[in-house]
Amino acid sequence: MPKKTPLSWLLLVRQKSRLIVATAGIAFADILMFMQLGFQSGLYDAAIKPHRNLDADLILINPQFRTLFSVKSFQRERLYQARALPEVKEVSSIYINTGQWRNPETRESRAILVWGVEPGKPSFKLPEVEQQLSQITLLKTVLFDQAGRPEYGTVADWLARSPQGLEVELSDRLLNVSGTFTLGASFAADGNTIVSDSTFLHLFPDRSASNIEVGLIQLQPGSDPVVMQQKLSAFLPKDVRVLTVEEFANVEKQYWAEGTGIGFIFGLGAIMGFIVGIVIVYQILYSDVSDHLSEFATMKAMGYSNAFLVRVLITEALILAVIGFLPSMVLAMGLYQITYSATLLPIFMQVDRAITVFVLTVAMCSASSVIAMQKLYQADPADIF
Amino acid sequence: MDQVMDQVTNQVLGQSSSQASAITIQNLNHYFGNGDLKKQVLYDINLIIQAGEIVLLTGPSGSGKTTLLTLLGGLRSAHEGSLKILGQEMCGASKEQLLKTRCNIGYIFQAHNLLSFLTARQNVRLSLELHDHYTDAECDRLVDEMLTAVGLGERLDYYPEQLSGGQKQRVAIARALVSSPKIVLADEPTAALDRKSGRDVVEILQRLAKERDCTILLVTHDNRILDIADRLLYMEDGRLVKDKTE
Ligand SMILES: Nc1ncnc2c1ncn2[C@@H]1O[C@H](COP(=O)(O)OP(=O)(O)OP(=O)(O)O)[C@@H](O)[C@H]1O
Ligand SMILES: [Mg+2]
């Protein structure tokens, strides 16, 4: 069998300007999709980063707890009840509240999330935090999140210059910054601070020690978290909810995805990119078929079937999909980097997103070729004789 | 009912006469349009063309020459009468059969209709790729031989836009003949050419056809090329009125 002439490819490379326009158009559509999906997942990732870094097997929360943005508390007593089960190794409590951070330089106030943890017990899985927990046992000391918004001040720099500590104002109380950690800004908070439970109660005198926001449960080695989750749910009163860490993260994610327009807005943005892509590729393929209508009709007269020509068209679309996708991926990575430096939003190229966008590109190009195909059926060889 | 009857008669008639002939047409009628707009363009055509014959078909504009050619080439389906190409009945044939017949016929159009994005070589090769039985090396050899035979051995990798009208039409001839079809149909192949290149083109066509024992039916208005014909046909108002050898 003779090797087949690569018609689709030749059709494209013999029309350089059309190829360039098509590539640019598809790349544009792809970048649009990459940015929308990237923003979306970056925002979600930022929102659930604290949850994912909690050092626990199971989490206890108020059933009404939806988001860090407006926390709900429950009786600390429930956490101690959980200890009655032999599989529970250890429990620890976390207080959460929003404080006002005053930038030591500009004197401007800005809301910041305050985490009150028990210094001797597990809280965050972040090595920086674990190493510095002993420092905050001292009353009125605080760990500062250096990945928060720059408006809080260049705390890390100032701290480096004054090793004995840096005095700051949090919710009108003077605290000493003993170190920094890295978590990052999210929807719920522009920044984070970690203090001990005693410091927390000192900062917020109207908070009672017996009501906490998050309970962390550590299990004995070898016990299955899912089984224990059911056991604990059955065991504890219904005024608390037992979740795995991932489920806890999903509660937060769901809040932002459903409770706000975020999922819709970015989803719509991605769909727009998709539609723009279809229109562009369709335009290209349609004019390609129109310009070569008599040539395609000639091929039919020679004995080539409609199905063969349809394949040529689809192949052309798929080649365009690949040619347009590759540069868009590189450009999107650059734009992600720029976005990250500007907003500290954790937005990076991910394999599954790249696959998603590529699949969408292929779908986009196939859809366009199916529409453009109608034109191909008009190429009637009886008319060109 | 009529059609079934026709087909039965056709089969009987066909068997008796089509053995040595490339094309056998009996009682062929053709209409365009439907209902009130139905218009007959071919009336009771009867024609036998022997294998290896070069037949020229002339006649005034609108007399139905192109229509006849498209029916022969399987570009339109015939409905009434009998039309046999290489023993294959085309009247009432299925789409697949029409397509298969097209693969075994060479076409030359008034406009060269080369694929603009392919070189001369690739254009000619395209008609070999329709047949699975060639090897790659055979394809390359046949294509180059064929283009050399039409005098384009120096321009194998030229694109159509780099060739003159006559050269393009010669590529079209190479494309039509390269797979050694038994029949070549040509519709005014010289109409777009000046006198000299038109003459060249038909002479090449005639020479190659004779070498390969290929049957040619060529529609033309060009009186200067009538001498290449073995037989001349004349068509008027949808009827074959004169068969000059009879
Ligand atoms: N697709 C069509 N639909 C309807 N009528 C058609 C169609 N094609 C051709 N005809 C009519 O059929 C008749 C024969 O046309 P045809 O093209 O076969 O003539 P021709 O002999 O090839 O003419 P010319 O020498 O100008 O090429 C004409 O009256 C034409 O108007
Ligand atoms: Mg005509």
Side-chain angles (χ1 to χ4, degrees):
Chain A
M1 223 197 309
K3 266 210 299 283
K4 298 279 187 265
T5 306
L7 293 174
S8 320
W9 175 249
L10 294 171
L11 203 53
L12 286 171
V13 294
R14 278 297 289 170
Q15 310 173 88
K16 289 266 162 23
S17 54
R18 183 169 285 167
L19 179 62
I20 290 167
V21 171
T23 309
I26 294 169
F28 174 75
D30 281 0
I31 287 174
L32 215 56
M33 292 194 277
F34 265 127
M35 291 319 284
Q36 300 293 328
L37 295 176
F39 279 136
Q40 187 178 21
S41 91
L43 289 171
Y44 290 153
D45 283 349
I48 62 176
K49 200 169 171 197
H51 307 62
R52 285 209 166 132
N53 280 300
L54 288 173
D55 189 4
D57 295 316
L58 290 173
I59 303 279
L60 225 54
I61 52 168
N62 181 321
Q64 255 122 54
F65 188 109
R66 292 281 173 273
T67 165
L68 291 176
F69 187 60
S70 98
V71 290
K72 296 269 187 296
S73 56
F74 65 95
Q75 296 170 40
R76 192 183 199 170
E77 181 57 27
R78 298 281 173 263
L79 197 56
Y80 296 143
Q81 283 173 344
R83 274 200 306 216
L85 295 187
E87 294 90 338
V88 174
K89 185 172 128 206
E90 195 174 4
V91 298
S92 47
S93 42
I94 293 184
Y95 300 90
I96 302 171
N97 204 355
T98 303
Q100 291 296 320
W101 175 278
R102 194 183 290 280
N103 182 325
E105 196 175 64
T106 63
R107 309 292 302 152
E108 271 183 52
S109 259
R110 194 177 181 94
I112 198 163
L113 210 60
V114 184
W115 301 75
V117 305
E118 296 180 78
K121 292 194 179 166
S123 52
F124 284 99
K125 276 189 292 196
L126 304 165
E128 286 169 315
V129 176
E130 284 167 343
Q131 282 157 24
Q132 301 182 85
L133 266 186
S134 59
Q135 297 172 17
I136 58 167
T137 41
L138 212 63
L139 197 64
K140 302 188 198 171
T141 49
V142 57
L143 294 177
F144 175 79
D145 177 8
Q146 62 172 344
R149 301 278 324 160
E151 285 84 347
Y152 295 117
T154 51
V155 176
D157 286 351
W158 297 328
L159 195 61
R161 269 183 262 125
S162 53
Q164 65 276 49
L166 174 75
E167 188 134 285
V168 292
E169 216 177 295
L170 181 57
S171 291
D172 299 326
R173 319 237 160 195
L174 288 176
L175 296 185
N176 203 29
V177 180
S178 68
T180 58
F181 65 99
T182 313
L183 196 54
S186 71
F187 295 125
D190 286 342
N192 299 279
T193 55
I194 299 176
V195 296
S196 70
D197 41 4
S198 338
T199 310
F200 183 89
L201 295 169
H202 166 74
L203 281 174
F204 307 107
D206 51 342
R207 286 290 306 260
S208 116
S210 59
N211 281 323
I212 62 170
E213 273 70 37
V214 179
L216 306 184
I217 298 176
Q218 314 266 323
L219 298 175
Q220 296 289 0
S223 38
D224 181 354
V226 181
V227 175
M228 279 310 294
Q229 182 188 11
Q230 286 164 5
K231 220 166 158 183
L232 273 168
S233 298
F235 177 70
L236 293 172
K238 294 287 157 256
D239 56 358
V240 284
R241 196 168 164 206
V242 189
L243 297 174
T244 63
V245 174
E246 204 46 45
E247 283 171 342
F248 183 39
N250 271 332
V251 168
E252 181 85 24
K253 191 168 166 179
Q254 235 174 349
Y255 174 82
W256 297 105
E258 291 165 11
T260 66
I262 289 162
F264 178 76
I265 289 167
F266 289 110
L268 194 67
I271 292 171
M272 294 279 284
F274 186 76
I275 293 173
V276 167
I278 290 187
V279 173
I280 293 174
V281 183
Y282 168 70
Q283 279 294 328
I284 298 284
L285 292 179
Y286 181 88
S287 47
D288 222 5
V289 175
S290 312
D291 291 356
H292 297 101
L293 206 59
S294 70
E295 294 164 37
F296 286 131
T298 307
M299 288 185 68
K300 286 195 202 172
M302 287 165 68
Y304 282 100
S305 63
N306 251 326
F308 179 91
L309 295 178
V310 165
R311 278 202 298 280
V312 169
L313 199 63
I314 292 177
T315 311
E316 193 183 346
L318 293 182
I319 294 173
L320 283 176
V322 175
I323 297 182
F325 173 78
L326 292 176
S328 83
M329 195 165 93
V330 174
L331 283 170
M333 281 160 84
L335 288 172
Y336 284 168
Q337 194 54 47
I338 293 171
T339 310
Y340 177 67
S341 345
T343 64
L344 294 178
L345 195 67
I347 171 169
F348 305 104
M349 182 56 74
Q350 276 158 0
V351 177
D352 59 344
R353 188 177 321 131
I355 292 172
T356 305
V357 173
F358 182 67
V359 168
L360 285 172
T361 314
V362 169
M364 179 172 98
C365 292
S366 312
S368 315
S369 60
V370 168
I371 315 175
M373 236 174 250
Q374 307 309 317
K375 185 76 185 167
L376 206 53
Y377 293 119
Q378 289 175 15
D380 184 355
D383 294 336
I384 62 159
F385 228 132
Chain B
M1 267 312 279
D2 273 2
Q3 221 167 352
V4 177
M5 284 300 289
D6 273 353
Q7 286 198 352
V8 173
T9 2
N10 290 339
Q11 266 157 19
V12 176
L13 285 169
Q15 243 145 33
S16 59
S17 59
S18 71
Q19 248 20 338
S21 69
I23 298 172
T24 308
I25 305 174
Q26 281 162 340
N27 311 108
L28 180 72
N29 290 311
H30 193 77
Y31 309 85
F32 279 119
N34 284 311
D36 287 347
L37 296 172
K38 191 162 167 175
K39 180 181 154 217
Q40 188 162 7
V41 288
L42 293 181
Y43 297 85
D44 194 29
I45 308 279
N46 286 285
L47 174 67
I48 294 178
I49 299 179
Q50 304 301 331
E53 245 188 320
I54 297 181
V55 177
L56 262 61
L57 176 62
T58 61
S61 187
S63 55
K65 307 180 295 293
T66 297
T67 308
L68 181 60
L69 225 53
T70 54
L71 288 171
L72 287 169
L75 303 185
R76 274 181 216 291
S77 40
H79 300 297
E80 217 178 288
S82 164
L83 194 164
K84 279 197 174 182
I85 308 286
L86 303 167
Q88 162 74 47
E89 177 60 62
M90 300 291 282
C91 191
S94 71
K95 276 221 160 70
E96 289 73 41
Q97 279 170 318
L98 290 182
L99 212 57
K100 226 172 122 204
T101 307
R102 287 183 198 175
C103 294
N104 297 317
I105 295 178
Y107 291 90
I108 301 164
F109 310 93
Q110 173 173 347
H112 57 83
N113 280 325
L114 297 177
L115 275 62
S116 59
F117 54 95
L118 299 182
T119 61
R121 250 191 184 131
Q122 291 165 332
N123 263 291
V124 175
R125 190 187 161 100
L126 215 52
S127 69
L128 287 180
E129 286 176 7
L130 277 164
H131 306 275
D132 290 343
H133 56 83
Y134 295 104
T135 65
D136 233 15
E138 259 177 326
C139 278
D140 292 342
R141 184 177 54 80
L142 285 171
V143 168
D144 289 7
E145 273 176 17
M146 197 67 226
L147 279 168
T148 310
V150 297
L152 292 173
E154 310 289 298
R155 293 186 161 74
L156 297 173
D157 291 316
Y158 280 46
Y159 284 94
E161 67 198 16
Q162 298 167 313
L163 297 170
S164 71
Q167 289 168 337
K168 279 186 265 206
Q169 200 56 295
R170 281 189 268 161
V171 177
I173 291 176
R175 176 173 67 181
L177 292 174
V178 70
S179 59
S180 308
K182 286 282 152 262
I183 300 175
V184 168
L185 302 174
D187 197 0
E188 308 190 37
T190 60
L193 303 180
D194 62 63
R195 178 229 270 258
K196 167 87 173 64
S197 34
R199 184 74 211 174
D200 286 350
V201 161
V202 280
E203 274 174 7
I204 291 170
L205 187 59
Q206 181 196 28
R207 173 168 55 81
L208 294 173
K210 284 296 169 201
E211 279 170 22
R212 285 147 202 260
D213 200 23
C214 171
T215 313
I216 292 185
L217 179 59
L218 188 151
V219 171
T220 186
H221 285 295
D222 191 348
N223 293 325
R224 299 169 307 223
I225 63 167
L226 299 183
D227 58 299
I228 67 153
D230 296 329
R231 183 149 62 116
L232 281 178
L233 298 175
Y234 186 75
M235 199 166 191
E236 208 171 272
D237 293 334
R239 287 171 228 270
L240 275 180
V241 288
K242 189 156 51 168
D243 192 334
K244 285 194 176 169
T245 53
E246 281 166 15

